[in-house]
Amino acid sequence: MKCRKCGERASIELRRHNAAFCAPDFLDFFRRQVREAIRKHRMFEADEAVLVAVSGGKDSLALWDVLIDEGSRTTGLYLDLGIFDYSVESKAKCERFAAARGVPLIVSTVAEEVGAPVPVIKEVTRRPPCSGCGLSKRYLMNRVALEHGFPVVATGHNLDDEAATLFGSVMHWQTDALPRQSPALAATHPKLVRRVKPLYRLSERETAAFAFLRKIDYIVEECPFAKGATSIAHKEILNRMEEASPGAKHNFLFGFLDKARPAFERAEAVTLNECARCGQVTTGTLCAFCKLADQVKRLGGGLRPSSDGRRAP
Ligand code: Q46
Ligand code: ZN
């Protein structure tokens, strides 16, 4: 197999593009895809400060790596979810990455902001862990960005993540979620920042290859709560389809974005208010984050979370 660009021996084959690349040309291909995503969806301008949400995993650190090399003004944001050793290790990976590249990193701790870490929130709410976790992550990303004056937050969602989310939304015909599925969500209120996903054109396998070739030290283990999540089942189904028909995931996601998404965009805009407690954007009176914090305070009162996420006696 030869590299499509230089004709030398290829080290990675991309079946969905019907192409193969040597290592340097693959890195070049990867960065071009990120540039194309940013340009096509006008994610941010060259002089804008970008807050990059990093989890310590390969995708978000690969994204940060590309943006630093592209000369973007980036700051990392690590959200400490308090999920046992997973959080301790992933935080250390982000801190080491930031120190090695000489870039700033902001750390925000869910246990301090909500009143308990994710494992305790799960018990108090009796809901799947990803529910309180996802809500807290979205809220804190936006609030931290606003507090520090960032107009945009970039996340490391890749093609596989986006295709799996779309698959889940379609399976349940979540017509509210479909218009929000986009590589770039505009700020529709002065207290909402833009949210962008510059890796949406790249598959999980491609981000793994990029992280490996760039020698990025990332956390390989998944969050312990990821097991059994429906998104994993959806990814497996899509992987089987991809195996049988290379490009299936790409066609599914890109076909939706190009042809179907506009049909789901709501004619009438939702009314956005500011939360009576924290001032962040909500469709009701009190935002979901403040309600969650109240619930944790009420039902989890007396539970003092320790720094590793376990309950202290
Ligand atoms: S939502 Fe769920 Fe993730 Fe939070 S609890 Fe873990 S798996 S970290 S992407
Ligand atoms: Zn609120």
Side-chain angles (χ1 to χ4, degrees):
M1 230 179 359
K2 289 194 171 153
C3 171
R4 178 200 264 184
K5 269 192 86 185
C6 69
E8 293 292 311
R9 223 173 77 109
S11 49
I12 178 160
E13 185 188 12
L14 305 182
R15 283 174 68 204
R16 75 191 165 94
H17 289 292
N18 207 8
F21 291 107
C22 67
D25 284 324
F26 170 72
L27 294 175
D28 191 44
F29 159 85
F30 192 95
R31 293 186 179 113
R32 259 187 294 122
Q33 292 295 323
V34 176
R35 279 199 291 271
E36 174 60 11
I38 295 170
R39 187 200 62 77
K40 187 165 181 207
H41 294 275
R42 296 179 166 180
M43 292 183 176
F44 45 84
E45 302 296 330
D47 58 350
E48 276 186 305
V50 184
L51 186 64
V52 186
V54 287
S55 66
K58 63 184 184 322
D59 303 299
S60 53
L61 290 181
L63 170 62
W64 202 6
D65 183 87
V66 175
L67 296 183
I68 292 168
D69 283 352
E70 291 291 316
S72 299
R73 281 169 53 207
T74 61
T75 294
L77 168 64
Y78 176 77
L79 297 176
D80 187 342
L81 308 170
I83 303 178
F84 316 122
D85 293 345
Y86 166 74
S87 286
V88 177
E89 282 168 35
S90 56
K91 183 176 168 194
K93 299 280 185 198
C94 293
E95 287 173 338
R96 277 203 289 273
F97 181 97
R101 313 286 160 115
V103 281
L105 176 72
I106 297 171
V107 175
S108 172
T109 307
V110 167
E112 284 167 18
E113 302 297 339
V114 188
V118 167
V120 178
I121 295 176
K122 164 187 166 265
E123 284 179 39
V124 168
T125 58
R126 295 169 189 248
R127 301 202 55 201
C130 298
S131 151
C133 181
L135 160 66
S136 305
K137 285 201 282 194
R138 283 190 299 277
Y139 176 93
L140 289 172
M141 268 185 228
N142 190 71
R143 207 185 70 191
V144 172
L146 280 176
E147 285 169 357
H148 289 82
F150 291 93
V152 55
V153 176
T155 57
H157 292 93
N158 60 40
L159 172 60
D160 294 52
D161 298 322
E162 291 300 280
T165 305
L166 175 61
F167 191 76
S169 301
V170 170
M171 283 295 287
H172 300 100
W173 289 116
Q174 289 166 331
T175 48
D176 294 1
L178 289 170
R180 290 201 303 268
Q181 170 120 24
S182 169
L185 280 179
T188 51
H189 184 280
K191 284 197 168 175
L192 287 178
V193 301
R194 228 174 308 143
R195 275 192 288 151
V196 299
K197 301 166 182 170
L199 298 187
Y200 84 99
R201 306 172 68 84
L202 292 149
S203 72
E204 196 155 320
R205 183 171 160 264
E206 288 154 14
T207 60
F210 182 87
F212 173 78
L213 292 170
R214 292 284 299 147
K215 300 190 171 61
I216 294 173
D217 179 20
Y218 63 86
I219 183 158
V220 179
E221 296 82 55
E222 292 250 23
C223 164
F225 293 127
K227 274 189 217 84
T230 44
S231 58
I232 303 276
H234 293 155
K235 277 189 180 176
E236 283 167 9
I237 293 167
L238 290 167
N239 281 342
R240 263 182 269 152
M241 289 171 63
E242 183 76 22
E243 190 60 35
S245 166
K249 280 184 236 179
H250 178 113
N251 293 341
F252 179 52
L253 179 67
F254 283 54
F256 167 77
L257 293 174
D258 292 343
K259 298 175 192 158
R261 185 175 170 272
F264 290 98
E265 278 181 307
R266 288 204 215 144
E268 83 289 12
V270 259
T271 324
L272 297 176
N273 311 316
E274 290 183 17
C275 170
R277 170 96 43 85
C278 72
Q280 294 291 297
V281 177
T282 175
T283 49
T285 317
L286 208 60
C287 77
F289 182 86
C290 285
K291 284 184 192 157
L292 176 68
D294 277 351
Q295 197 182 3
V296 167
K297 206 150 125 207
R298 223 173 31 245
L299 301 170
L303 295 177
R304 293 302 323 147
S306 66
S307 59
D308 66 356
R310 293 177 178 95
R311 283 177 184 192

